[in-house]
Amino acid sequence: MKYLNKGVLLFSLGALLLAGCDKDENEDNFDTSGTYVQKDQMARPAVNTVFVNSARKDEFNTTTPALQNAAFNTQFQSVLTGFGYMQNALGQDKATFAGLLATDVLNVKTSGTTTFFDGTNVLTGRALADDVIDVELLLIFGGATGASNPGLTSDNVGANDKAFSGTFPYLASPF
C-alpha cells in the first residue's frame, strides 16, 4: 500500500509537471480588467476552518483584519468555551486569545528569530519547518503549562521528510 501510494503520488506529480509545461494558449489574451473580489484569507492555517462556522465564512474572509477581532471575538470565545479552554501557555485568557486568533494576520519580526512559536518567541513570523498545527493545538488544548490534554496537543505528523533548500524559494525538492 505504501509503495502504491508513492506510485500514485509520483504519477500525479509527473502529470501536473507535464501539464504545467504547456503554454497556455489564452495567456496573451488574459483579461485583467474588471473588479477583483477577495474570496479567502488564511494567514494562520486551520484557525478560520475551526473557529468560523459556514454561515460566516464569506464574512470572515472578506473582513479587514483590523476589524476581525470586533466582528468575531465572541464567536471565537464560544468555540474556545466548547473546547474547555481556560488559559494557554502564553498566559492568555479566553478573550485575549480569541482576539489573537480572530485577527488573521501573519506577523513579521524584521530582526531576531522568525518563528510561529519556539517556546520563547511567539508569532514573530513563520519558518518553513514550524509545526503550525501543533503550536495551535498546544495553545488551544495545552492549558496554562502546555502540558494538559497531551493527546490533543499534536497532530502527530512528523517533520518534512526532505531537507529545505538553502536558497530561494527554500522549499524542499518534491522528489
Side-chain angles (χ1 to χ4, degrees), residues 2 29 32 45 61 70 80 85 172:
K2 181 178 176 182
N29 299 323
T32 58
N61 285 325
L80 287 170
Y85 180 91

Side-chain angles (χ1 to χ4, degrees), residues 2 11 65 74 95 143-144 165:
K2 181 178 176 182
F11 177 76
T74 301
S165 170

Side-chain angles (χ1 to χ4, degrees), residues 148-161:
S148 299
N149 304 306
L152 299 175
T153 56
S154 175
D155 60 6
N156 296 308
V157 175
N160 204 36
D161 62 344

Side-chain angles (χ1 to χ4, degrees), residues 8 35 122 152 161:
V8 170
T35 303
V122 180
L152 299 175
D161 62 344

